[in-house]
Amino acid sequence: QLQLQESGPGLVKPSETLSLTCTVSGGSISSRSYYWGWIRQPPGKGLEWIGTIYYSGSTYYKSSLKSRVTISVDTSKNQFSLKLSSVTASDTAVYYCARRITMIRGVVSGFDTWGQGTQVTVSS
Amino acid sequence: DIQLTQSPSFLSASVGDRVTITCRASQGISSYLAWYQQKPGKAPKLLIYGASTLQSGVPSRFSGSGSGTEFTLTISSLQPEDFATYYCQQLNSLTFGPGTKVDIK
């Protein structure tokens, strides 16, 4: 059974870089059938897609975050990572990693498997 | 960018009620829409993709319809475990709607 687990610091200082890793177990991150993504949720608010990566390294970022976001993949460790630079208090959120199947029987799918989420607080 | 709106933002209902949530896109998105359920403190759960395809393991009381700019999620008979917040997501830009909270009347 596929599982995703986020890890990283729970507290980041303003202007610094937030770094999180998602470890995939029970399946290969190198499969051509999947994309891997990061989604966040500020306290009491809705979901915000941050970006997605394919095993080949191709990346897709939310336009408003593109200048600050880097997502990378390490197939040897079955992990993918998020870096968000120049953080402010508005980046405080629960950060989720998730898997998206490219297509199911010809139908474009959503994020079908999620990590439990990790709280990141931006504060001095 | 394509924007998604959801209505209502909040819905109060009773067990057994038929519940309908609407998601509207600012431009046509064909059938590139998914619906998620999120309970407090938990990760979202994929319910529907392709606007109307039920994700494996999701109860058949959930259904989705629509294409273009207007979509609906229907729960045919609300169960106690269905009280949650529901989000739509556009599957091109991956933008989420603002959510609809379904609460107990």
Side-chain angles (χ1 to χ4, degrees):
Chain A
Q1 181 183 352
L2 188 81
Q3 291 188 320
L4 285 72
Q5 179 68 58
E6 305 90 350
S7 59
L11 182 64
V12 182
K13 289 183 168 55
S15 80
E16 295 189 344
T17 296
L18 179 160
S19 296
L20 296 174
T21 296
C22 182
T23 300
V24 179
S25 59
S28 173
I29 203 169
S30 299
S31 171
R32 297 184 178 193
S33 299
Y34 309 127
Y35 291 95
W36 306 92
W38 288 97
I39 300 100
R40 68 181 181 180
Q41 186 168 36
K45 296 189 177 181
L47 301 166
E48 179 183 28
W49 171 72
I50 300 169
T52 301
I53 191 165
Y54 196 47
Y55 81 100
S56 62
S58 297
T59 52
Y60 312 86
Y61 300 136
K62 180 173 181 174
S63 55
S64 61
L65 296 172
K66 192 172 185 177
S67 64
R68 298 196 292 131
V69 173
T70 302
I71 297 177
S72 58
V73 63
D74 187 336
T75 55
S76 67
K77 295 182 179 179
N78 229 31
Q79 295 175 334
F80 63 105
S81 298
L82 168 70
K83 291 188 185 300
L84 181 64
S85 64
S86 305
V87 297
T88 69
S90 63
D91 295 310
T92 293
V94 174
Y95 285 75
Y96 295 100
C97 60
R99 181 188 80 169
R100 182 186 178 196
I101 300 177
T102 52
M103 277 201 179
I104 304 175
R105 289 185 288 278
V107 181
V108 176
S109 181
F111 290 101
D112 71 314
T113 306
W114 295 63
Q116 64 185 21
T118 187
Q119 172 70 48
V120 178
T121 302
V122 178
S123 175
S124 55
Chain B
D1 288 356
I2 297 174
Q3 306 298 319
L4 297 178
T5 58
Q6 287 183 234
S7 59
S9 300
F10 180 85
L11 186 160
S12 186
S14 300
V15 172
D17 284 353
R18 181 181 181 89
V19 167
T20 299
I21 299 168
T22 298
C23 178
R24 290 185 175 88
S26 58
Q27 300 174 38
I29 57 172
S30 185
S31 296
Y32 294 119
L33 192 95
W35 289 97
Y36 297 83
Q37 175 193 69
Q38 187 181 33
K39 297 181 180 178
K42 299 295 185 182
K45 173 186 176 182
L46 178 64
L47 300 175
I48 302 273
Y49 60 93
S52 61
T53 302
L54 197 66
Q55 170 70 355
S56 176
V58 173
S60 59
R61 63 180 180 273
F62 291 93
S63 63
S65 65
S67 67
T69 60
E70 187 157 329
F71 303 85
T72 58
L73 172 70
T74 299
I75 309 172
S76 60
S77 178
L78 198 66
Q79 297 302 299
E81 61 268 29
D82 300 337
F83 292 97
T85 301
Y86 293 84
Y87 294 93
C88 57
Q89 182 190 31
Q90 198 265 106
L91 294 176
N92 281 332
S93 66
L94 300 182
T95 307
F96 286 92
T100 295
K101 185 175 181 180
V102 177
D103 210 344
I104 302 172
K105 182 182 286 184

